[in-house]
Amino acid sequence: MYIEQAYKGLSDSWRYVLGVFVVFGAWQVFGAIPLIVALIMKGDAMSVLASGDMGAMSEVLGSNTFLFFMLLTFAIGLVFLFLYVKFVHKQSIKSLTTSRKKVDWGRVAFSFSLWAVISIIFIFIDIFLSPEDYVFQFNLVPFLTLAVVAILMIPIQTSMEEYFMRGYMMQGLGILTKNRWFPLIFTSVLFGMMHIFNPEVQKLGYGILIFYVGTGFFLGILTLMDEGLELALGFHAANNLTAALLVTADWTAFQTNSLYTDVSDPVLGWDVLVPVFVVFPILLFFFSKKYKWTNWKGRLTGKVLSKEAYLNGVKDQ
């Protein structure tokens, strides 16, 4: 019972309401300070920051340096989240992560490996079918620098998003509403809406949000069905890491020294729907067989136990 893990700490509603504002505020304010300082040291930071143009920031700092400082904001946010959970909720990071007796790193590794392989295959199939859309731009030193930054920092970035959305908010909303469907829907839609200012949305239009919201639902279903964050943590890290290392474009959130640059004129089409309505359901079916998931209705839409019922059940076990 993943959501009920919140009862292992102090689960008053005010702690969660305050926590969302404190953690998000600290993430956005304190997390941005190193990036702002770096821009100030390089030049006219205010005009670049005011524009909100990540491409311009990347040009000022250099793509690898900008990527590091952008990802550092998530690392700072994750520290604030863990500190808030530990000292305000008196809850362990383990119970924020999983309902198992210990974090199953094998699940994290399996999910990461599976989606990394699938993503690499999809990317290279597209390069093979449409070679005119890609330019090979491999440059050893910038790429190795990118690899170090990405491997170290991107899992932290994706972990912040998972712990905050599918962890902290999922547990908090679940025990407040006493059901599972509301936190699943709310966090999935919010996850999609948080990408609304990404360059991809400006380039392709709001239809691309179908992919982001759909990904939010996929990760939320993974979390609730598997009773822990492990599979979502692995999947999300693999998704962002392969994207950063293999393909970049001047209209994406990650503009990096990757192996290839996508030079095509992007058009919103059916390819946005395939992951959400074909690939993700197949993955859920595969995971359900591997980890023997049952009671889909109860785990996704059922009631959340009261604190008394949960704690009595734990004592009775």
Side-chain angles (χ1 to χ4, degrees), residues 146-218:
L146 165 65
V148 171
V149 172
I151 292 170
L152 291 176
M153 300 297 290
I154 284 180
I156 296 175
Q157 174 243 327
T158 54
S159 294
M160 171 57 191
E161 294 185 0
E162 290 308 309
Y163 273 105
F164 189 59
M165 303 292 293
R166 253 72 59 181
Y168 188 72
M169 293 188 70
M170 183 82 80
Q171 287 187 350
L173 288 169
I175 64 172
L176 290 176
T177 61
K178 293 296 185 292
N179 64 60
R180 298 171 184 274
W181 63 266
F182 181 81
L184 173 60
I185 293 173
F186 185 89
T187 58
S188 300
V189 173
L190 181 61
F191 178 77
M193 292 301 104
M194 287 181 69
H195 292 81
I196 200 168
F197 296 112
N198 278 22
E200 297 94 318
V201 178
Q202 299 173 24
K203 185 72 174 182
L204 297 172
Y206 293 117
I208 189 66
L209 292 175
I210 294 173
F211 171 76
Y212 291 119
V213 173
T215 302
F217 271 103
F218 170 71

Side-chain angles (χ1 to χ4, degrees), residues 83-287:
L83 289 175
Y84 189 89
V85 168
K86 179 177 177 61
F87 291 106
V88 178
H89 287 278
K90 309 294 184 183
Q91 182 185 4
S92 69
I93 304 305
K94 194 276 290 183
S95 63
L96 183 65
T97 307
T98 187
S99 60
R100 284 169 271 277
K101 292 182 179 180
K102 60 181 180 179
V103 177
D104 188 344
W105 294 106
R107 272 173 155 84
V108 178
F110 178 77
S111 180
F112 178 93
S113 302
L114 177 66
W115 188 241
V117 170
I118 293 173
S119 296
I120 291 169
I121 290 172
F122 281 166
I123 289 170
F124 279 103
I125 286 176
D126 195 49
I127 292 172
F128 177 78
L129 294 176
S130 305
E132 69 280 2
D133 291 342
Y134 296 91
V135 172
F136 185 66
Q137 62 166 18
F138 177 71
N139 192 329
L140 180 61
V141 174
F143 179 78
L144 290 178
T145 304
L146 165 65
V148 171
V149 172
I151 292 170
L152 291 176
M153 300 297 290
I154 284 180
I156 296 175
Q157 174 243 327
T158 54
S159 294
M160 171 57 191
E161 294 185 0
E162 290 308 309
Y163 273 105
F164 189 59
M165 303 292 293
R166 253 72 59 181
Y168 188 72
M169 293 188 70
M170 183 82 80
Q171 287 187 350
L173 288 169
I175 64 172
L176 290 176
T177 61
K178 293 296 185 292
N179 64 60
R180 298 171 184 274
W181 63 266
F182 181 81
L184 173 60
I185 293 173
F186 185 89
T187 58
S188 300
V189 173
L190 181 61
F191 178 77
M193 292 301 104
M194 287 181 69
H195 292 81
I196 200 168
F197 296 112
N198 278 22
E200 297 94 318
V201 178
Q202 299 173 24
K203 185 72 174 182
L204 297 172
Y206 293 117
I208 189 66
L209 292 175
I210 294 173
F211 171 76
Y212 291 119
V213 173
T215 302
F217 271 103
F218 170 71
L219 294 169
I221 292 170
L222 276 184
T223 300
L224 290 178
M225 289 305 302
D226 201 49
E227 300 288 5
L229 284 176
E230 292 99 332
L231 296 179
L233 287 169
F235 176 94
H236 201 163
N239 185 74
N240 288 23
L241 189 58
T242 54
L245 292 176
L246 295 183
V247 180
T248 191
D250 60 7
W251 46 270
T252 61
F254 282 166
Q255 297 176 31
T256 66
N257 293 294
S258 57
L259 292 181
Y260 290 88
T261 297
D262 184 346
V263 296
S264 66
D265 187 17
V267 178
L268 186 66
W270 60 268
D271 52 320
V272 173
L273 304 178
V274 170
V276 175
F277 296 106
V278 178
V279 178
F280 291 168
I282 291 174
L283 284 174
L284 287 172
F285 177 77
F286 175 78
F287 282 127

